[in-house]
Amino acid sequence: MTDETPESAADGGQDGPGDVGDIAGERAANLLDEVSRLRRQTRTRRHAYWLPLLLFGLLTFLSVPFYVQPTPSRIAAGHTVTSPVPYLPGFGGLARSGWQGYLAVYWLVAIAAGFAVTYLWYRRRGRRVGLWTPARGFLITGAVISLLVLILPLTGLVPGDLVIRGTFPFMIIAAGLAVLAWAERSRALTAIAVLYAGIALVASLYNIENVLFRLGWNPSASQWRLTGLPNVLLPALILLLAGGGAYFAQRTRRRPA
């Protein structure tokens, strides 16, 4: 009688070298997928950029009174008083009278406070959740650019068209958001920073109220004082909407299933 031995019995029931390699490769691929998933999850939990977006949007909105022009009657009567604030075109544009004369002071304080609060916010959140965002570069960027904005316009190295409207501080905010997007490794914040930088550049180089004029806005004599506000309200609206959307999105992602 002839014994017939199955192949599985012949090789002792063990997998061949090819099968072992396939199993090891599959396990390695699964491990890489798991590491990638944990990395994405960690980055998502680390995202907290909703606060700086809302903060700088609010600071921009609060600056609106400084952009309201004096009434023509007060100018004609000579009732406007030249501000004692030093001439700082990078932060305050060319306005030197009335509330507008204090625009530079407002933005100096607002920019410093906004960058400092954002830095402290990330430090506090890092201690609380154990995930640290390198926000020190964000703070240093704000300080360096603010110093350059103070000095360069006085040397004539910055085109006057960029600072004449008093909206150049928006470009400082845009630079800070770009650095924060790199620190957060966030594509969404990168897109927001690029969009906001474009709006900030337009607000510094162009009178946005011209678009409203073409759409049918015909301001009355009393409303001409407000024609410079679209250059301020549009950047503020972008930041507030983006910050609100980021808040709800990040809150939903952190909510346990």
Side-chain angles (χ1 to χ4, degrees):
M1 185 175 66
T2 304
D3 294 333
E4 295 182 359
T5 304
E7 292 182 1
S8 59
D11 58 13
Q14 298 179 353
D15 295 328
D19 295 334
V20 173
D22 292 341
I23 294 174
E26 183 178 354
R27 290 178 178 176
N30 292 337
L31 181 60
L32 289 175
D33 291 340
E34 181 67 14
V35 170
S36 300
R37 185 186 66 82
L38 291 175
R39 183 179 298 173
R40 290 193 300 268
Q41 184 179 10
T42 300
R43 289 179 177 175
T44 300
R45 290 186 58 194
R46 190 176 62 185
H47 290 169
Y49 52 81
W50 62 267
L51 185 132
L53 290 174
L54 289 178
L55 176 61
F56 283 107
L58 179 61
L59 290 174
T60 304
F61 183 78
L62 292 177
S63 71
V64 164
F66 297 96
Y67 290 92
V68 177
Q69 302 174 14
T71 59
S73 60
R74 290 182 63 86
I75 296 176
H79 291 163
T80 57
V81 179
T82 301
S83 169
V85 177
Y87 180 56
L88 302 172
F91 282 91
L94 303 182
R96 299 298 307 281
S97 62
W99 278 100
Q100 288 187 314
Y102 293 92
L103 180 61
V105 174
Y106 175 83
W107 276 121
L108 279 171
V109 175
I111 290 292
F115 276 81
V117 169
T118 299
Y119 174 70
L120 294 175
W121 156 254
Y122 275 101
R123 287 197 60 180
R124 176 181 177 274
R125 190 175 184 278
R127 288 194 297 266
R128 181 163 54 88
V129 303
L131 296 171
W132 297 87
T133 298
R136 184 174 300 177
F138 172 79
L139 185 63
I140 295 174
T141 298
V144 171
I145 295 181
S146 298
L147 182 61
L148 292 176
V149 171
L150 277 174
I151 298 174
L152 291 181
L154 299 176
T155 64
L157 297 178
V158 177
D161 288 344
L162 279 175
V163 299
I164 191 174
R165 295 171 179 82
T167 54
F168 196 73
F170 303 159
M171 299 300 298
I172 303 177
I173 298 173
L177 292 179
V179 173
L180 193 60
W182 175 84
E184 287 257 23
R185 302 297 194 273
S186 170
R187 295 180 180 177
L189 183 54
T190 299
I192 294 171
V194 170
L195 172 63
Y196 178 77
I199 296 297
L201 185 60
V202 170
S204 296
L205 294 173
Y206 180 72
N207 295 328
I208 299 178
E209 66 267 22
N210 291 333
V211 178
L212 300 181
F213 295 159
R214 295 188 180 96
L215 293 177
W217 182 37
N218 186 19
S220 62
S222 60
Q223 291 176 339
W224 276 104
R225 308 170 56 221
L226 310 178
T227 53
L229 298 188
N231 285 52
V232 183
L233 293 176
L234 181 58
L237 182 63
I238 294 295
L239 291 179
L240 291 174
L241 290 178
Y247 172 77
F248 287 108
Q250 291 163 19
R251 184 180 180 182
T252 300
R253 290 171 184 172
R254 290 194 299 267
R255 186 177 300 165

